[in-house]
């Protein structure tokens, strides 16, 4: 059997209806922005393999550092033990975050980073003896697929089978200049019950790259702070340069109590999640009462290989070339967006930093299940470009190493597809 047949015999793929899905494409190699399949075809990874690959595939510097660490220490229990890669990564990351972020808790992925954040807030309230029981989140949010993360994500077709098992969350619209006062009124009506507010700052990725202004989010966060509602920023997607700045928090003046990271954390090399918090949160768990401990952990908490990959990725991220590339990509996206605005089949163009999104007009509503997405996906594969539309929402989230010419090649193909493709 070939790789396709062997894969189908044993693997169950994510977000895939396996009954009618075509064979998965076996990728045998990655280099820079390119992925290569078993038939020798190459593809530009225009979505950074689910938004994780910052510096391109198989980056030699990250590979070298991980290889060196593999021969020193590959894993150690993080309860009662520590190691330099974890210490150094925490030090380096905290130096880049809002100054109130003082402690780092390690986990495995974005969902678990959110789970840890929620448990910190809920137990903070418990340890303090506060009688609070509800959480505030945005409609259309996506924070992950584990139960806590799913609970604070928008209710949708994805969550229907689990609806009776999700804990209670109060959902509000994302802020605009027009609705801010109304949102404040909604919060005021239940503020005494609210433990925390969790948000994807500036960009709701899985919802279709929906975007809101930093100025409006700042005012909403400021109001939550005044109502003594803890604030969680889920930067699993937006962190590490995606918004044009290192973090979405850098666009804001109000500092969160807790932040969540994953995806680009290790440059897309090794799974890892991080939850950071303020000393105010951390100190609520310090007690002679052992029951006030945060009883949470993972087998691979602060894995030395993942920490090493993250340190190498962060070093690459902060160098002058990468920072220049981020600004160039953002500027190229902006110029291309002005071209898209002239196209009759395009609407709702939006951009935040290196994230560019737009919607294809057709006879179906804007939705993850809009059938045009599958057609566009396969059309771009034929052209050697990996685009993974969210229904009729198309977007670009390229690795930072993509060149001006490579990005122009993608733009050219997007326009060519729009001009020749039946979007009905």
């Amino acid at each position: 059997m070939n790789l396709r047949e062997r894969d189908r015999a044993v693997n169950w793929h994510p977000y895939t209806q396996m009954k009618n899905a075509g064979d998965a494409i076996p990728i045998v190699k990655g280099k820079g922005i390119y992925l290569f399949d078993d038939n020798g075809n190459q593809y530009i990874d225009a979505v950074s393999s689910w938004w994780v690959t910052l510096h391109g595939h198989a980056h030699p510097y990250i590979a070298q550092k991980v290889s060196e660490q593999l021969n020193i220490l590959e894993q150690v229990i993080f309860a009662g033990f520590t190691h330099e890669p974890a210490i150094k990564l925490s030090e380096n990351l905290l130096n880049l975050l809002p100054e109130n972020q003082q402690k780092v808790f390690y986990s495995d992925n974005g969902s678990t980073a959110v789970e840890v954040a929620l448990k910190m807030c809920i137990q903070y309230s418990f340890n303090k003896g506060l009688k609070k029981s509800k959480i505030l989140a945005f409609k259309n949010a996506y924070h992950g697929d584990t139960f806590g993360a799913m609970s604070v994500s928008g209710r949708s077709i994805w969550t229907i089978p689990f609806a009776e098992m999700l804990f209670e969350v109060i959902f509000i619209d994302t802020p605009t200049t027009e609705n801010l006062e109304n949102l404040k009124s909604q919060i005021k009506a239940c503020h005494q019950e609210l433990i925390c507010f969790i948000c994807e700052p500036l960009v709701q990725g899985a919802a279709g790259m929906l975007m809101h202004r930093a100025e409006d989010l700042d005012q909403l966060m400021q109001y939550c702070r005044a109502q003594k509602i803890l604030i969680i920023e889920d930067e699993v997607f937006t962190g590490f340069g995606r918004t044009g700045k290192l973090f979405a928090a850098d666009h804001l003046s109000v500092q969160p109590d807790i932040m969540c990271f994953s995806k680009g954390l290790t440059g897309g090399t090794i799974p890892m999640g991080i939850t950071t918090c303020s000393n105010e949160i951390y100190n609520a768990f310090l007690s002679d009462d052992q029951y006030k401990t945060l009883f949470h952990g993972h087998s691979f908490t602060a894995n030395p290989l993942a920490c090493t990959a993250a340190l190498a990725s962060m070093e690459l991220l902060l160098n002058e070339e990468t920072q220049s590339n981020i600004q160039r990509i953002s500027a190229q996206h902006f110029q291309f967006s002005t071209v898209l605005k002239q196209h009759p089949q395009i609407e709702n163009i939006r951009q935040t930093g290196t994230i560019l999104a737009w919607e294809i007009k057709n006879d179906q509503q804007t939705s993850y299940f809009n059938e045009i997405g599958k057609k566009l996906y396969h059309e771009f594969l034929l052209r050697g470009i990996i685009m993974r539309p969210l229904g009729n929402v198309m977007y670009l989230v390229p690795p930072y190493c993509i060149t001006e010419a490579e990005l122009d090649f993608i733009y050219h193909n997007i326009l060519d597809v729009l001009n020749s493709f039946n979007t009905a």
Side-chain angles (χ1 to χ4, degrees):
M1 292 196 296
N2 61 31
L3 289 175
R4 287 167 170 79
E5 293 167 337
R6 289 166 58 193
D7 177 82
R8 180 167 283 277
V10 296
N11 286 331
W12 189 347
H13 289 267
Y15 290 98
T16 302
Q17 176 45 259
M18 298 301 293
K19 181 176 180 179
N20 53 27
D23 289 334
I25 299 171
I27 297 299
V28 298
K29 180 183 177 182
K31 185 174 179 59
I33 67 165
Y34 294 99
L35 292 168
F36 302 86
D37 71 15
D38 59 338
N39 290 324
N41 300 309
Q42 71 175 31
Y43 306 90
I44 295 177
D45 188 354
V47 295
S48 297
S49 284
W50 254 340
W51 324 338
V52 305
T53 304
L54 298 189
H55 313 293
H57 295 280
H59 195 284
Y61 183 69
I62 299 177
Q64 174 194 339
K65 291 298 184 180
V66 172
S67 177
E68 291 172 356
Q69 182 62 42
L70 191 57
N71 288 297
I72 299 171
L73 177 67
E74 85 299 345
Q75 167 65 5
V76 62
I77 182 175
F78 206 60
F81 297 87
T82 191
H83 51 85
E84 186 173 9
I87 297 168
K88 187 175 181 182
L89 176 56
S90 296
E91 291 171 341
N92 290 4
L93 179 60
L94 291 175
N95 282 337
L96 301 176
L97 297 180
E99 61 183 4
N100 73 328
Q101 298 298 292
Q102 295 292 321
K103 290 293 186 291
V104 173
F105 196 100
Y106 288 95
S107 62
D108 295 348
N109 55 63
S111 290
T112 57
V114 169
E115 296 284 347
V116 170
L118 293 171
K119 290 178 74 173
M120 283 179 175
C121 288
I122 293 168
Q123 192 174 341
Y124 169 92
S125 181
F126 177 85
N127 286 358
K128 289 278 192 177
L130 305 175
K131 303 299 182 182
K132 296 185 174 186
S133 60
K134 295 180 182 177
I135 292 171
L136 183 71
F138 284 145
K139 296 175 182 177
N140 301 310
Y142 174 79
H143 295 286
D145 293 328
T146 51
F147 263 82
M150 191 163 48
S151 291
V152 295
S153 299
R155 300 298 185 260
S156 68
I157 193 71
W158 296 349
T159 62
I160 285 176
F162 319 103
E164 298 303 316
M165 300 181 181
L166 304 179
F167 55 71
E168 185 175 0
V169 174
I170 296 173
F171 291 102
I172 59 173
D173 291 324
T174 51
T176 65
T177 303
E178 294 73 26
N179 73 7
L180 260 171
E181 292 309 311
N182 180 263
L183 295 182
K184 290 177 183 178
S185 295
Q186 292 180 55
I187 294 170
K188 185 176 182 180
C190 57
H191 75 278
Q192 292 182 330
E193 299 177 277
L194 290 173
I195 298 171
C196 64
F197 164 54
I198 183 169
C199 69
E200 300 159 90
L202 308 187
V203 185
Q204 292 182 294
M209 301 297 168
L210 302 178
M211 300 179 186
H212 49 275
R213 298 193 323 144
E215 296 85 350
D216 298 326
L217 181 59
D218 244 338
Q219 289 194 50
L220 189 64
M221 290 171 61
Q222 188 173 38
Y223 187 76
C224 287
R225 177 61 43 75
Q227 301 301 317
K228 301 187 185 307
I229 300 167
L230 298 174
I231 300 169
I232 303 170
E233 279 186 16
D234 176 355
E235 293 229 27
V236 168
F237 171 39
T238 55
F240 305 102
R242 290 297 185 196
T243 66
K245 296 187 178 184
L246 285 178
F247 303 99
D250 295 332
H251 297 266
L252 303 165
S253 60
V254 179
Q255 297 180 342
D257 299 284
I258 295 174
M259 300 179 73
C260 305
F261 306 96
S262 189
K263 288 195 181 291
L265 172 60
T266 68
T269 306
I270 301 175
M272 171 173 262
I274 278 180
T275 308
T276 64
C277 70
S278 67
N279 275 332
E280 169 68 20
I281 300 294
Y282 177 76
N283 289 340
F285 292 81
L286 301 182
S287 174
D288 292 328
D289 182 354
Q290 293 300 307
Y291 292 165
K292 290 189 175 181
T293 300
L294 178 60
F295 291 109
H296 189 98
H298 297 255
S299 300
F300 290 95
T301 295
N303 173 259
L305 301 178
C307 290
T308 299
L311 283 165
S313 177
M314 198 177 299
E315 189 177 339
L316 293 170
L317 175 65
L318 295 176
N319 73 33
E320 186 176 343
E321 181 181 4
T322 303
Q323 289 301 305
S324 176
N325 285 347
I326 289 171
Q327 299 312 310
R328 171 183 51 80
I329 293 167
S330 300
Q332 277 190 263
H333 278 353
F334 179 78
Q335 290 300 318
F336 182 57
S337 72
T338 64
V339 176
L340 285 176
K341 286 176 183 177
Q342 308 305 315
H343 203 287
Q345 291 177 279
I346 300 300
E347 61 185 353
N348 298 329
I349 301 159
R350 47 203 182 264
Q351 180 193 358
T352 300
T354 67
I355 307 163
L356 176 65
W358 62 96
E359 294 171 23
I360 308 290
K361 296 179 185 178
N362 72 345
D363 57 6
Q364 300 175 42
Q365 68 178 5
T366 294
S367 164
Y368 179 85
F369 297 100
N370 189 307
E371 289 297 321
I372 192 69
K374 294 178 182 178
K375 298 177 183 178
L376 291 166
Y377 172 73
H378 290 293
E379 177 63 25
F380 279 98
L381 278 182
L382 292 174
R383 294 166 178 262
I385 303 171
I386 299 175
M387 302 274 284
R388 189 178 168 85
L390 297 162
N392 63 313
V393 177
M394 298 196 68
Y395 65 91
L396 289 172
V397 184
Y400 302 146
C401 60
I402 195 168
T403 67
E404 182 176 354
E406 289 163 341
L407 205 43
D408 282 340
F409 174 80
I410 296 173
Y411 296 155
H412 171 79
N413 274 274
I414 289 169
L415 293 175
D416 194 42
V417 168
L418 289 173
N419 291 330
S420 61
F421 202 65
N422 180 11
T423 61

